[in-house]
Amino acid sequence: MEDIKSKPIKIDSLAEYQDESVVSRELIKKEVGTVTIFAFDKGQGLSEHSAPFDAMVQIVDGGAEITISGNKNIVKKGELIIMPANEPHALFANEPFKMVLTMIKSEK
């Protein structure tokens, strides 16, 4: 894996689309949180689940249907959405999309 620290890099090049797959690459992993990039092929998704901490999704390519507590949102390239702690959420790729997921695990 290429070292990406301390230099500029095109964020959408960090995870490539694969047919009928979800690809992820963890960029930062610390006790207080993680930053992960995902590439979803069209028709792929993550089923409804919840997490004990807030999470921010930033779309860097394409667009996604992100449902939070039953409310559907269409989030496109250049937009972000915050998924609150303990709220059920799901993601679905109506088209191929890439996102950066930032999860903050600290309650302070």
Side-chain angles (χ1 to χ4, degrees):
M1 177 168 45
E2 172 189 6
D3 183 13
I4 61 170
K5 293 180 181 177
S6 301
K7 62 182 175 181
I9 192 162
K10 286 185 53 85
I11 196 163
D12 63 350
S13 71
L14 294 173
E16 297 302 324
Y17 294 114
Q18 292 184 15
D19 290 342
E20 300 180 17
S21 296
V22 176
V23 175
S24 67
R25 180 178 179 188
E26 199 166 63
L27 304 175
I28 299 173
K29 182 177 183 177
K30 301 288 183 182
E31 186 176 327
V32 296
T34 59
V35 177
T36 307
I37 187 161
F38 290 82
F40 289 76
D41 194 19
K42 182 177 180 176
Q44 300 300 304
L46 296 177
S47 60
E48 187 174 73
H49 62 284
S50 62
F53 305 103
D54 290 342
M56 182 179 73
V57 170
Q58 177 185 3
I59 305 296
V60 296
D61 189 41
E65 179 182 285
I66 300 177
T67 304
I68 302 171
S69 295
N71 297 312
K72 290 186 179 183
N73 303 276
I74 302 299
V75 188
K76 297 280 188 182
K77 179 179 179 178
E79 297 179 331
L80 63 82
I81 191 165
I82 296 174
M83 300 181 297
N86 303 310
E87 299 270 339
H89 53 270
L91 294 88
F92 182 75
N94 291 324
E95 62 180 295
F97 79 95
K98 294 180 183 180
M99 71 177 204
V100 175
L101 174 67
T102 303
M103 184 174 298
I104 306 299
K105 296 182 179 180
S106 175
E107 295 179 15
K108 296 179 182 180

